[in-house]
């Protein structure tokens, strides 16, 4: 696997291989010395043209724990702010002998473009409103661990509700692609104004009535209302949004007792998710963050074909 651009590029075997290795990689997180020689001598450049806390930091930690040299480039402070094009910037960096780029950009399709231009491997860390494949993988890892602890080892029959601002989300598209490959049922829940165009062709159930589906969910994946991407009025007020689509305390009580709550972060507490739900015992929010480092270690290993030396079995 040379690049990871879309969750839809992953076969079931590839997805399982990434998730299985990520479970092994996670053991490093609990060690005093968090270093494996797997990517020694390799250079990874994180190129972030959009804001990020979790994704950028966890890719950087992942590269460092695998002994790669990791460098961060952000649009602010680079020649991009002087008007250099994405192509020129990437070709410049590529000429320095980089092995992999991790790229986040506000344009849908940016990572695919870059992969056509450069010699290095490219990992898509979020392209506009299009895709965010490592987010879907880390969600799957956290969900799988939750249900394995409960003695449930199969994706079949698990029902995932993805709820919120689906129109502006790249997380939803990658999750639908991956969760369908893994074999779960997916139901999308959003106000009609926040459903992506063409969603009826995605092959999943779609509704605007959260209350009608909440009791049958095994996973409630709450997505952020992306105010920075909104130009008009997509819903009347924040209060009405929370009443209709938020994971309130009342809805939390209606979830199945073993259901898991996910949110990729950053959360708007009180809007798409109440603090009661975000901090509940069955909330996987911080497990998702922890899984993020392990999944990104595994993805970097898969695209760069590292050595298996020192990987805990
Ligand atoms: C997501 C993103 O940036 O697409 N966050 C993340 O990567 N942790 C979701 C979001 O911003 O709401």
């Amino acid at each position: 696997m040379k690049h990871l651009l879309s969750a839809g590029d992953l076969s079931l075997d590839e997805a399982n291989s990434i998730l299985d290795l990520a479970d092994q990689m996670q053991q490093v997180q609990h060690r005093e010395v968090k270093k494996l020689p797997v990517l020694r001598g390799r250079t990874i450049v994180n190129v972030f043209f959009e804001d990020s806390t979790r994704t950028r930091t966890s890719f950087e930690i992942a590269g460092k724990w695998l002994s790669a040299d990791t460098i961060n480039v952000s649009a602010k402070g680079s020649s991009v702010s002087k008007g250099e094009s994405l192509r020129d910037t990437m070709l410049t960096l590529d000429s320095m002998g980089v092995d992999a780029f991790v790229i986040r950009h506000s344009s849908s399709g940016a990572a695919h473009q870059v992969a056509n231009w450069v010699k290095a491997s490219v990992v898509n860390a979020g392209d506009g409103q299009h895709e965010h494949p490592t987010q879907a993988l880390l969600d799957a890892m956290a969900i799988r661990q939750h249900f394995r602890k409960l003695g449930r080892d199969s994706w079949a029959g698990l029902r995932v509700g993805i709820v919120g601002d689906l129109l502006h989300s790249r997380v939803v598209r990658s999750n639908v692609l991956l969760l369908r490959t893994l074999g779960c049922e997916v139901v999308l829940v959003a106000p009609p104004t926040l459903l992506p165009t063409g969603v009826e062709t995605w092959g999943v159930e779609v509704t605007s009535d959260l209350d009608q589906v909440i009791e049958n969910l095994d996973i409630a994946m709450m997505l952020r209302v992306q105010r920075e991407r909104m130009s008009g009025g997509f819903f009347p007020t924040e209060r009405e949004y929370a009443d209709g689509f938020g994971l309130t305390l009342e809805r939390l009580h209606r979830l199945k007792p073993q259901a898991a709550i996910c949110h990729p972060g950053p959360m708007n507490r009180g809007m798409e998710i109440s603090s009661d739900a975000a901090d509940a015992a069955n909330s996987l929010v911080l497990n998702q963050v922890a899984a993020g480092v392990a999944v990104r270690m595994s993805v970097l290993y898969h695209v760069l074909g590292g050595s298996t030396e020192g990987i805990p079995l």
Side-chain angles (χ1 to χ4, degrees):
M1 188 171 126
K2 161 111 184 185
H3 306 296
L4 178 60
L5 303 174
S6 162
D9 294 339
L10 296 171
S11 65
L12 180 59
D13 281 350
E14 283 169 328
N16 280 329
S17 165
I18 292 172
L19 294 175
D20 291 345
L21 184 67
D23 280 335
Q24 288 166 246
M25 294 287 196
Q26 199 167 33
Q27 296 178 36
V28 174
Q29 223 156 353
H30 307 295
R31 291 185 184 170
E32 198 180 322
V33 179
K34 300 179 180 63
K35 270 283 188 228
L36 297 175
V38 170
L39 295 180
R40 199 164 40 195
R42 309 294 186 89
T43 303
I44 301 169
V45 180
N46 294 323
V47 199
F48 277 64
F49 295 100
E50 249 193 21
D51 296 342
S52 170
T53 306
R54 282 148 272 263
T55 308
R56 196 186 58 71
T57 313
S58 59
F59 265 112
E60 188 176 353
I61 293 176
K64 287 197 154 75
W65 286 0
L66 295 178
S67 306
D69 294 304
T70 57
I71 287 111
N72 293 312
V73 176
S74 60
K76 224 188 281 156
S78 75
S79 292
V80 175
S81 57
K82 298 183 187 167
E84 189 174 54
S85 70
L86 176 63
R87 185 167 185 272
D88 284 337
T89 303
M90 296 311 299
L91 289 176
T92 301
L93 294 168
D94 199 44
S95 302
M96 296 180 190
V98 171
D99 295 293
F101 289 111
V102 175
I103 179 159
R104 170 168 287 194
H105 197 280
S106 56
S107 298
S108 301
H112 288 76
Q113 286 270 32
V114 169
N116 287 329
W117 294 329
V118 299
K119 291 192 283 299
S121 289
V122 176
V123 178
N124 183 1
D127 62 328
Q129 302 173 17
H130 183 228
E131 277 220 52
H132 193 355
T134 57
Q135 180 68 44
L137 284 161
L138 74 87
D139 293 340
M141 178 175 175
I143 292 167
R144 193 170 85 156
Q145 289 179 343
H146 172 82
F147 284 102
R148 277 191 176 165
K149 266 192 230 144
L150 297 169
R152 192 164 170 172
D153 210 15
S154 161
W155 288 98
L158 280 184
R159 191 164 160 81
V160 187
I162 308 182
V163 188
D165 176 3
L166 310 185
L167 175 64
H168 300 102
S169 175
R170 48 195 171 213
V171 175
V172 66
R173 197 169 275 99
S174 291
N175 256 299
V176 167
L177 290 165
L178 183 67
L179 290 169
R180 292 195 59 207
T181 302
L182 293 171
C184 356
E185 280 173 39
V186 180
V187 51
L188 303 181
V189 189
T193 49
L194 289 175
L195 282 170
T197 38
V199 75
E200 57 288 345
T201 63
W202 291 14
V204 293
E205 213 180 303
V206 182
T207 176
S208 291
D209 189 350
L210 179 56
D211 291 310
Q212 204 202 324
V213 294
I214 189 98
E215 277 151 29
N216 292 323
L217 298 181
D218 296 292
I219 297 109
M221 185 180 286
M222 309 310 294
L223 298 187
R224 186 170 66 88
V225 176
Q226 307 213 358
R227 277 177 280 211
E228 78 280 14
R229 295 189 202 273
M230 289 184 189
S231 48
F234 287 89
F235 47 85
T237 62
E238 294 191 2
R239 170 75 191 276
E240 277 175 69
Y241 181 88
D243 283 350
F245 297 92
L247 191 52
T248 56
L249 179 61
E250 187 268 328
R251 291 197 180 104
L252 177 67
H253 290 320
R254 285 168 53 208
L255 279 173
K256 292 183 191 173
Q258 297 193 333
I261 298 158
C262 293
H263 192 304
M267 296 185 277
N268 293 311
R269 285 175 183 256
M271 200 154 174
E272 70 269 2
I273 190 164
S274 61
S275 280
D276 300 289
D279 304 327
N282 51 344
S283 161
L284 301 185
V285 171
L286 294 178
N287 307 49
Q288 289 171 271
V289 178
V293 177
V295 150
R296 285 160 182 144
M297 290 170 82
S298 178
V299 165
L300 291 172
Y301 170 88
H302 276 82
V303 296
L304 286 174
S307 83
T308 50
E309 200 186 328
I311 296 180
L313 291 170

